[in-house]
Coordinates of all heavy atoms in Angstrom, one line a residue:
M1 N -17.8 7.4 21.7 CA -17.2 7.3 20.4 C -15.7 7.6 20.5 O -15.3 8.6 21.1 CB -17.8 8.3 19.5 CG -17.2 8.4 18.1 SD -17.4 7.0 17.1 CE -19.1 7.3 16.5
Q2 N -14.9 6.7 20.0 CA -13.5 6.8 19.9 C -13.1 7.4 18.5 O -13.6 6.8 17.5 CB -12.7 5.5 20.1 CG -13.2 4.8 21.4 CD -12.5 3.4 21.4 OE1 -11.4 3.2 21.8 NE2 -13.3 2.4 21.0
K3 N -12.3 8.4 18.5 CA -12.0 9.0 17.2 C -10.4 9.1 17.1 O -9.8 9.7 18.0 CB -12.6 10.4 17.0 CG -14.1 10.3 16.9 CD -14.7 11.7 16.6 CE -16.2 11.6 16.4 NZ -16.8 12.9 16.1
V4 N -9.9 8.5 16.1 CA -8.4 8.5 16.0 C -8.1 9.1 14.6 O -8.7 8.8 13.6 CB -7.9 7.1 16.1 CG1 -6.4 7.1 15.9 CG2 -8.2 6.5 17.4
N5 N -7.1 9.9 14.6 CA -6.6 10.5 13.3 C -5.3 9.8 12.9 O -4.4 9.6 13.7 CB -6.3 12.0 13.4 CG -7.6 12.8 13.7 OD1 -8.5 12.7 12.9 ND2 -7.7 13.5 14.7
V6 N -5.3 9.4 11.6 CA -4.0 8.8 11.1 C -3.6 9.6 9.9 O -4.3 9.9 9.0 CB -4.3 7.3 10.7 CG1 -3.1 6.7 9.9 CG2 -4.6 6.4 11.9
T7 N -2.3 10.1 10.0 CA -1.8 10.8 8.9 C -1.1 9.8 8.0 O -0.4 8.9 8.4 CB -0.7 11.8 9.4 OG1 -1.4 12.7 10.3 CG2 -0.1 12.6 8.3
V8 N -1.3 10.0 6.7 CA -0.8 9.1 5.7 C 0.3 9.9 4.9 O -0.1 10.8 4.1 CB -1.9 8.6 4.7 CG1 -1.3 7.6 3.7 CG2 -3.0 7.9 5.6
A9 N 1.5 9.6 5.1 CA 2.6 10.3 4.4 C 3.8 9.4 4.4 O 4.6 9.3 5.3 CB 3.0 11.6 5.2
G10 N 3.9 8.7 3.3 CA 5.0 7.7 3.2 C 4.9 6.5 4.2 O 5.8 5.8 4.4
G11 N 3.7 6.4 4.7 CA 3.4 5.3 5.7 C 2.2 5.8 6.5 O 1.6 6.9 6.2
Y12 N 1.9 5.1 7.6 CA 0.8 5.5 8.5 C 1.4 6.0 9.8 O 2.2 5.4 10.4 CB -0.1 4.3 8.7 CG -0.7 3.8 7.4 CD1 -0.3 2.7 6.8 CD2 -1.7 4.6 6.8 CE1 -0.8 2.2 5.7 CE2 -2.3 4.1 5.6 CZ -1.8 2.9 5.0 OH -2.4 2.5 3.9
Q13 N 0.9 7.2 10.3 CA 1.3 7.8 11.5 C 0.1 8.1 12.4 O -0.6 9.0 12.0 CB 2.1 9.0 11.2 CG 3.0 9.5 12.3 CD 4.1 8.6 12.7 OE1 4.1 8.0 13.7 NE2 5.1 8.5 11.8
P14 N -0.2 7.4 13.4 CA 0.6 6.3 13.9 C 0.3 5.0 13.1 O -0.8 4.9 12.5 CB 0.1 6.1 15.4 CG -1.4 6.6 15.3 CD -1.4 7.7 14.3
A15 N 1.2 4.0 13.2 CA 1.0 2.8 12.5 C 0.2 1.8 13.3 O -0.3 0.8 12.7 CB 2.4 2.2 12.1
V16 N 0.1 2.0 14.6 CA -0.7 1.2 15.4 C -1.8 2.0 16.1 O -1.5 3.0 16.8 CB 0.1 0.5 16.5 CG1 -0.7 -0.4 17.4 CG2 1.2 -0.4 15.8
V17 N -3.0 1.6 16.0 CA -4.2 2.3 16.6 C -4.8 1.4 17.6 O -5.1 0.3 17.3 CB -5.2 2.7 15.5 CG1 -6.5 3.3 16.1 CG2 -4.6 3.6 14.5
N18 N -4.8 1.9 18.8 CA -5.4 1.2 19.9 C -6.8 1.6 20.2 O -7.0 2.8 20.4 CB -4.5 1.3 21.2 CG -3.2 0.7 21.1 OD1 -3.1 -0.6 21.0 ND2 -2.1 1.5 20.9
L19 N -7.7 0.7 20.3 CA -9.1 1.0 20.5 C -9.7 0.1 21.6 O -9.2 -1.0 21.8 CB -10.0 0.7 19.2 CG -9.6 1.6 18.0 CD1 -10.4 1.2 16.8 CD2 -9.9 3.1 18.3
Q20 N -10.7 0.6 22.3 CA -11.3 -0.1 23.3 C -12.5 -0.9 22.8 O -13.3 -0.4 22.0 CB -11.9 0.9 24.4 CG -12.2 0.3 25.7 CD -12.7 1.4 26.7 OE1 -12.5 2.6 26.5 NE2 -13.4 0.9 27.7
Q21 N -12.5 -2.2 23.2 CA -13.5 -3.1 22.7 C -14.9 -2.6 23.1 O -15.1 -2.2 24.2 CB -13.3 -4.5 23.2 CG -14.2 -5.6 22.6 CD -14.0 -6.9 23.1 OE1 -13.2 -7.1 24.1 NE2 -14.6 -7.9 22.6
G22 N -15.8 -2.7 22.1 CA -17.2 -2.4 22.4 C -17.6 -1.0 22.4 O -18.8 -0.7 22.5
V23 N -16.7 -0.1 22.1 CA -17.0 1.3 22.0 C -16.9 1.7 20.6 O -15.9 1.5 19.9 CB -16.0 2.2 22.9 CG1 -16.3 3.6 22.8 CG2 -16.0 1.7 24.3
P24 N -18.0 2.3 20.0 CA -17.9 2.7 18.6 C -16.7 3.5 18.3 O -16.3 4.4 19.1 CB -19.2 3.5 18.4 CG -20.1 3.0 19.5 CD -19.2 2.6 20.7
A25 N -16.1 3.3 17.1 CA -14.9 3.9 16.8 C -14.8 4.4 15.3 O -15.4 3.8 14.4 CB -13.7 3.0 17.0
Q26 N -14.1 5.5 15.1 CA -13.9 6.0 13.7 C -12.4 6.3 13.6 O -11.8 6.9 14.5 CB -14.7 7.3 13.5 CG -16.2 7.1 13.4 CD -17.0 8.4 13.2 OE1 -16.4 9.4 13.4 NE2 -18.2 8.3 12.7
I27 N -11.9 6.0 12.5 CA -10.5 6.4 12.1 C -10.6 7.4 10.9 O -11.3 7.0 9.9 CB -9.6 5.2 11.8 CG1 -9.5 4.2 12.9 CG2 -8.2 5.7 11.4 CD1 -8.7 3.0 12.6
T28 N -10.0 8.5 11.1 CA -9.9 9.5 10.0 C -8.5 9.5 9.4 O -7.6 9.8 10.1 CB -10.3 10.9 10.5 OG1 -11.7 10.8 11.0 CG2 -10.2 11.9 9.4
F29 N -8.5 9.1 8.1 CA -7.2 9.1 7.4 C -7.0 10.4 6.6 O -7.9 10.8 5.9 CB -7.2 7.9 6.4 CG -7.1 6.6 7.1 CD1 -8.3 5.9 7.3 CD2 -5.9 6.0 7.4 CE1 -8.3 4.6 7.9 CE2 -5.9 4.7 8.0 CZ -7.1 4.0 8.3
T30 N -5.9 11.0 6.8 CA -5.6 12.2 6.0 C -4.3 12.0 5.3 O -3.2 11.9 5.9 CB -5.6 13.5 6.9 OG1 -6.8 13.6 7.6 CG2 -5.4 14.7 6.0
R31 N -4.3 12.0 4.0 CA -3.1 11.8 3.2 C -2.5 13.2 2.9 O -3.2 14.0 2.3 CB -3.3 11.0 1.9 CG -2.1 10.8 1.1 CD -2.3 9.7 0.0 NE -3.2 10.2 -1.0 CZ -2.8 10.8 -2.1 NH1 -1.5 11.0 -2.4 NH2 -3.6 11.2 -3.0
T32 N -1.3 13.4 3.4 CA -0.7 14.7 3.3 C 0.5 14.7 2.4 O 1.2 15.8 2.2 CB -0.3 15.3 4.6 OG1 0.7 14.4 5.2 CG2 -1.5 15.4 5.6
S33 N 0.8 13.6 1.7 CA 2.0 13.5 0.9 C 1.7 12.6 -0.3 O 1.0 11.6 -0.2 CB 3.2 12.9 1.7 OG 4.2 12.5 0.8
D34 N 2.4 12.9 -1.4 CA 2.2 12.1 -2.6 C 3.2 11.0 -2.6 O 3.2 10.1 -3.5 CB 2.4 12.9 -3.8 CG 1.1 13.1 -4.6 OD1 0.2 12.3 -4.4 OD2 1.0 14.1 -5.4
A35 N 4.1 10.9 -1.6 CA 5.1 9.8 -1.5 C 4.4 8.5 -1.5 O 3.5 8.2 -0.8 CB 6.0 10.0 -0.3
G36 N 5.0 7.5 -2.2 CA 4.5 6.1 -2.1 C 3.2 6.0 -2.9 O 2.8 6.8 -3.8
C37 N 2.5 4.9 -2.6 CA 1.3 4.6 -3.4 C 0.1 4.4 -2.4 O -0.5 3.4 -2.3 CB 1.5 3.3 -4.1 SG 2.2 2.0 -3.0
L38 N -0.1 5.5 -1.6 CA -1.0 5.4 -0.5 C -2.3 6.1 -0.7 O -3.0 6.5 0.2 CB -0.3 6.0 0.8 CG 0.9 5.2 1.3 CD1 2.0 6.1 1.8 CD2 0.4 4.3 2.4
D39 N -2.7 6.2 -2.0 CA -3.9 6.9 -2.3 C -5.2 6.1 -2.1 O -6.3 6.6 -2.3 CB -3.9 7.5 -3.7 CG -3.6 6.4 -4.8 OD1 -3.0 5.4 -4.4 OD2 -4.0 6.6 -5.9
V40 N -5.0 4.8 -1.7 CA -6.1 4.0 -1.3 C -5.7 3.3 0.0 O -4.6 2.9 0.2 CB -6.4 2.9 -2.3 CG1 -7.4 1.9 -1.8 CG2 -6.9 3.5 -3.6
V41 N -6.7 3.3 1.0 CA -6.4 2.5 2.2 C -7.5 1.4 2.2 O -8.7 1.7 2.0 CB -6.4 3.3 3.5 CG1 -7.7 4.1 3.7 CG2 -6.1 2.5 4.7
H42 N -7.1 0.2 2.5 CA -8.2 -0.8 2.6 C -7.8 -1.8 3.7 O -6.7 -1.9 4.2 CB -8.3 -1.5 1.2 CG -7.3 -2.5 0.9 ND1 -7.5 -3.6 0.2 CD2 -5.9 -2.5 1.1 CE1 -6.4 -4.3 0.0 NE2 -5.4 -3.7 0.6
S43 N -8.9 -2.6 4.1 CA -8.8 -3.6 5.1 C -9.7 -4.7 4.8 O -10.9 -4.5 4.8 CB -9.1 -3.0 6.5 OG -9.2 -4.0 7.4
T44 N -9.2 -5.9 4.6 CA -10.1 -7.0 4.4 C -10.6 -7.4 5.8 O -11.7 -7.9 5.9 CB -9.3 -8.2 3.8 OG1 -8.1 -8.4 4.5 CG2 -9.0 -7.9 2.3
D45 N -9.9 -7.2 6.9 CA -10.4 -7.5 8.2 C -11.7 -6.7 8.5 O -12.6 -7.3 9.1 CB -9.3 -7.2 9.3 CG -8.1 -8.1 9.2 OD1 -8.3 -9.2 8.6 OD2 -7.1 -7.7 9.7
F46 N -11.7 -5.4 8.2 CA -12.9 -4.6 8.5 C -13.8 -4.4 7.3 O -14.9 -3.9 7.4 CB -12.4 -3.2 9.0 CG -11.7 -3.3 10.3 CD1 -10.4 -2.9 10.4 CD2 -12.4 -3.7 11.5 CE1 -9.7 -2.9 11.7 CE2 -11.7 -3.7 12.7 CZ -10.4 -3.3 12.8
G47 N -13.3 -4.8 6.1 CA -14.2 -4.7 4.9 C -14.4 -3.3 4.4 O -15.5 -2.9 4.0
F48 N -13.3 -2.5 4.4 CA -13.4 -1.2 3.8 C -12.3 -1.0 2.8 O -11.2 -1.6 2.8 CB -13.5 0.0 4.8 CG -12.2 0.2 5.6 CD1 -11.1 0.9 5.0 CD2 -12.1 -0.2 6.9 CE1 -9.9 1.1 5.7 CE2 -10.9 0.0 7.6 CZ -9.8 0.7 7.0
E49 N -12.6 -0.1 1.8 CA -11.6 0.3 0.8 C -12.0 1.8 0.5 O -13.1 2.0 0.1 CB -11.7 -0.5 -0.4 CG -10.7 0.0 -1.5 CD -10.3 -1.0 -2.5 OE1 -10.1 -2.2 -2.1 OE2 -10.0 -0.7 -3.6
T50 N -11.1 2.7 0.8 CA -11.4 4.1 0.7 C -10.3 4.8 -0.1 O -9.1 4.7 0.2 CB -11.5 4.7 2.1 OG1 -12.5 3.9 2.9 CG2 -11.9 6.1 2.1
D51 N -10.7 5.6 -1.0 CA -9.8 6.5 -1.7 C -9.4 7.6 -0.8 O -10.2 8.1 0.0 CB -10.4 7.2 -2.9 CG -10.6 6.1 -4.1 OD1 -9.8 5.2 -4.2 OD2 -11.6 6.3 -4.8
L52 N -8.1 8.0 -0.8 CA -7.6 9.1 0.0 C -7.1 10.3 -0.9 O -5.9 10.4 -1.1 CB -6.5 8.6 0.9 CG -6.8 7.5 1.9 CD1 -5.6 7.0 2.6 CD2 -7.9 7.9 2.8
P53 N -8.0 11.1 -1.3 CA -7.6 12.3 -2.0 C -6.6 13.2 -1.1 O -6.8 13.2 0.1 CB -8.9 13.1 -2.3 CG -10.0 12.1 -2.0 CD -9.5 11.1 -1.0
L54 N -5.7 13.8 -1.7 CA -4.7 14.5 -1.0 C -5.3 15.6 -0.1 O -6.1 16.4 -0.6 CB -3.7 15.2 -2.0 CG -2.3 15.6 -1.4 CD1 -1.5 14.4 -0.8 CD2 -1.5 16.2 -2.6
N55 N -5.0 15.6 1.2 CA -5.4 16.6 2.1 C -6.9 16.7 2.3 O -7.5 17.7 2.7 CB -4.9 18.0 1.7 CG -3.4 18.1 1.8 OD1 -2.8 17.6 2.7 ND2 -2.8 18.6 0.7
Q56 N -7.6 15.6 2.0 CA -9.1 15.5 2.3 C -9.3 14.4 3.2 O -9.4 13.2 2.8 CB -9.8 15.3 1.0 CG -9.7 16.5 0.0 CD -10.5 16.3 -1.3 OE1 -11.6 15.6 -1.2 NE2 -10.0 16.8 -2.4
P57 N -9.5 14.7 4.5 CA -9.7 13.6 5.5 C -10.9 12.7 5.2 O -12.0 13.2 4.8 CB -10.1 14.4 6.8 CG -9.5 15.8 6.6 CD -9.6 16.0 5.1
Q58 N -10.7 11.4 5.3 CA -11.7 10.4 5.0 C -11.9 9.5 6.3 O -10.9 9.0 6.8 CB -11.2 9.5 3.9 CG -10.9 10.3 2.6 CD -12.1 10.9 1.9 OE1 -13.2 10.2 1.8 NE2 -12.0 12.1 1.5
T59 N -13.1 9.4 6.7 CA -13.4 8.7 7.9 C -14.0 7.3 7.7 O -14.9 7.2 6.8 CB -14.4 9.6 8.8 OG1 -13.7 10.8 9.1 CG2 -14.7 8.8 10.1
V60 N -13.5 6.3 8.3 CA -14.1 5.0 8.3 C -14.6 4.6 9.7 O -14.0 5.0 10.7 CB -13.1 3.9 7.7 CG1 -12.7 4.3 6.3 CG2 -11.9 3.8 8.6
T61 N -15.6 3.8 9.7 CA -16.2 3.3 11.0 C -15.6 1.9 11.2 O -15.5 1.1 10.3 CB -17.7 3.3 10.9 OG1 -18.2 4.6 10.7 CG2 -18.3 2.7 12.2
I62 N -15.2 1.7 12.4 CA -14.5 0.5 12.8 C -15.4 -0.3 13.7 O -15.9 0.2 14.7 CB -13.2 0.8 13.5 CG1 -12.2 1.5 12.6 CG2 -12.5 -0.5 14.0 CD1 -11.8 0.8 11.4
D63 N -15.6 -1.6 13.4 CA -16.4 -2.5 14.3 C -15.5 -3.0 15.4 O -14.5 -3.7 15.2 CB -16.8 -3.7 13.4 CG -17.7 -4.7 14.2 OD1 -17.8 -4.5 15.5 OD2 -18.2 -5.6 13.6
T64 N -15.8 -2.6 16.6 CA -15.0 -2.9 17.8 C -15.6 -4.1 18.6 O -15.2 -4.2 19.8 CB -14.8 -1.7 18.7 OG1 -16.0 -1.2 19.1 CG2 -14.1 -0.6 17.9
T65 N -16.5 -4.8 18.1 CA -17.2 -5.9 18.9 C -16.2 -7.0 19.2 O -16.4 -7.7 20.2 CB -18.4 -6.4 18.2 OG1 -18.1 -6.8 16.8 CG2 -19.5 -5.4 18.1
K66 N -15.2 -7.2 18.3 CA -14.3 -8.3 18.6 C -12.9 -7.8 19.0 O -12.4 -6.9 18.3 CB -14.1 -9.2 17.3 CG -15.3 -10.1 17.0 CD -15.0 -10.9 15.8 CE -16.3 -11.7 15.3 NZ -16.1 -12.3 14.0
A67 N -12.3 -8.4 20.0 CA -11.0 -8.0 20.4 C -10.0 -8.7 19.4 O -10.3 -9.7 18.9 CB -10.7 -8.4 21.8
G68 N -8.8 -8.1 19.3 CA -7.8 -8.7 18.5 C -7.0 -7.7 17.7 O -7.1 -6.5 18.0
E69 N -6.1 -8.2 16.8 CA -5.3 -7.3 16.0 C -5.8 -7.4 14.6 O -5.9 -8.5 14.0 CB -3.8 -7.7 16.1 CG -3.3 -7.5 17.5 CD -1.7 -7.6 17.5 OE1 -1.1 -7.9 16.5 OE2 -1.1 -7.4 18.6
F70 N -6.0 -6.3 14.0 CA -6.5 -6.2 12.6 C -5.7 -5.3 11.8 O -5.1 -4.3 12.2 CB -8.0 -5.7 12.6 CG -8.9 -6.5 13.6 CD1 -9.0 -6.1 14.9 CD2 -9.5 -7.7 13.2 CE1 -9.8 -6.8 15.8 CE2 -10.3 -8.4 14.1 CZ -10.4 -8.0 15.4
G71 N -5.6 -5.6 10.5 CA -4.7 -4.9 9.6 C -5.4 -3.9 8.7 O -6.6 -4.1 8.3
F72 N -4.7 -2.9 8.2 CA -5.1 -2.1 7.1 C -3.8 -1.8 6.3 O -2.7 -2.0 6.8 CB -5.8 -0.8 7.5 CG -5.1 0.1 8.3 CD1 -4.3 1.1 7.8 CD2 -5.3 0.1 9.7 CE1 -3.6 2.0 8.6 CE2 -4.6 0.9 10.6 CZ -3.7 1.9 10.0
S73 N -4.0 -1.5 5.0 CA -2.8 -1.3 4.2 C -3.2 -0.4 3.0 O -4.3 -0.1 2.7 CB -2.3 -2.7 3.7 OG -3.2 -3.3 2.9
C74 N -2.1 -0.1 2.3 CA -2.3 0.6 1.0 C -2.9 -0.3 0.0 O -3.0 -1.5 0.2 CB -1.0 1.3 0.5 SG 0.2 0.1 -0.1
G75 N -3.3 0.2 -1.2 CA -3.9 -0.5 -2.2 C -3.1 -1.7 -2.7 O -3.7 -2.7 -3.2
M76 N -1.8 -1.6 -2.6 CA -1.0 -2.7 -3.1 C -0.3 -3.5 -2.0 O 0.6 -4.3 -2.2 CB 0.1 -2.2 -4.0 CG -0.5 -1.6 -5.3 SD 0.7 -1.0 -6.4 CE 1.6 0.2 -5.4
D77 N -0.8 -3.4 -0.7 CA -0.4 -4.1 0.4 C 1.1 -3.9 0.7 O 1.8 -4.9 1.1 CB -0.7 -5.6 0.3 CG -2.2 -5.8 0.3 OD1 -2.9 -5.1 1.1 OD2 -2.7 -6.7 -0.4
M78 N 1.6 -2.8 0.4 CA 3.1 -2.5 0.7 C 3.2 -1.8 2.0 O 4.2 -2.1 2.7 CB 3.6 -1.6 -0.4 CG 3.7 -2.2 -1.8 SD 3.9 -1.0 -3.1 CE 5.5 -0.3 -2.5
F79 N 2.3 -0.9 2.4 CA 2.4 -0.2 3.6 C 1.3 -0.7 4.5 O 0.2 -0.9 4.1 CB 2.2 1.3 3.4 CG 3.4 1.9 2.7 CD1 3.2 2.1 1.3 CD2 4.6 2.3 3.3 CE1 4.3 2.7 0.6 CE2 5.6 2.9 2.6 CZ 5.5 3.1 1.2
H80 N 1.7 -1.0 5.8 CA 0.7 -1.6 6.7 C 0.5 -0.8 8.0 O 1.5 -0.2 8.5 CB 1.2 -3.0 7.0 CG 1.2 -4.0 5.9 ND1 0.2 -4.7 5.5 CD2 2.2 -4.2 5.0 CE1 0.5 -5.4 4.4 NE2 1.7 -5.1 4.1
G81 N -0.7 -0.9 8.5 CA -1.0 -0.4 9.8 C -1.8 -1.4 10.5 O -2.2 -2.4 9.9
K82 N -2.0 -1.2 11.8 CA -2.6 -2.2 12.6 C -3.6 -1.5 13.6 O -3.3 -0.4 14.1 CB -1.5 -2.9 13.4 CG -2.0 -4.2 14.1 CD -0.8 -5.0 14.5 CE 0.0 -4.4 15.6 NZ 1.1 -5.4 16.1
V83 N -4.7 -2.2 13.8 CA -5.7 -1.7 14.8 C -5.7 -2.8 15.9 O -5.9 -4.0 15.6 CB -7.1 -1.6 14.2 CG1 -8.1 -1.2 15.3 CG2 -7.1 -0.5 13.1
V84 N -5.4 -2.4 17.1 CA -5.5 -3.3 18.2 C -6.7 -3.0 19.1 O -6.8 -1.9 19.6 CB -4.2 -3.2 19.1 CG1 -4.3 -4.2 20.3 CG2 -3.0 -3.5 18.3
I85 N -7.6 -4.0 19.2 CA -8.8 -3.8 20.0 C -8.7 -4.6 21.2 O -8.5 -5.9 21.1 CB -10.1 -4.1 19.1 CG1 -10.2 -3.2 17.9 CG2 -11.4 -4.0 20.0 CD1 -11.3 -3.6 16.9
A86 N -8.9 -4.0 22.3 CA -8.7 -4.8 23.6 C -9.7 -4.2 24.6 O -10.1 -3.1 24.5 CB -7.3 -4.7 24.1
Ligands
CU1 CU1 1.2 0.6 -1.9

């Protein structure tokens, strides 16, 4: 299992998450700032949409069966992050 933590504070830190193809993966998002409009994170590529209550880590499972670059963003598609599976 690959586990990556992403801090959400005026953007995504890190903004690029690298994962190994074929190994189950989870990304845990923790929003630590009220800056911006980052209280929702969603991804049409992976098919998730998750509320991010302040300082409450939220974990999503990532399908790593396909290699490539996949996006996630805030609810209004203003802030973007990327998952690279290789
Ligand atoms: Cu936004």
Side-chain angles (χ1 to χ4, degrees):
M1 174 71 77
Q2 308 173 83
K3 293 184 177 182
V4 178
N5 292 304
V6 173
T7 300
V8 182
Y12 299 106
Q13 197 67 252
V16 179
V17 174
N18 291 290
L19 297 174
Q20 195 178 342
Q21 185 181 9
V23 179
Q26 291 179 342
I27 300 177
T28 297
F29 293 93
T30 305
R31 183 166 68 93
T32 60
S33 165
D34 251 339
C37 51
L38 292 145
D39 56 334
V40 172
V41 61
H42 76 147
S43 169
T44 48
D45 291 339
F46 292 117
F48 67 77
E49 175 157 329
T50 303
D51 288 329
L52 300 178
L54 200 58
N55 297 315
Q56 292 181 35
Q58 303 292 316
T59 299
V60 297
T61 299
I62 300 297
D63 180 356
T64 60
T65 53
K66 288 181 186 170
E69 294 192 359
F70 306 93
F72 58 87
S73 65
C74 71
M76 295 183 301
D77 293 323
M78 295 164 59
F79 295 97
H80 295 270
K82 191 163 71 174
V83 177
V84 180
I85 299 173

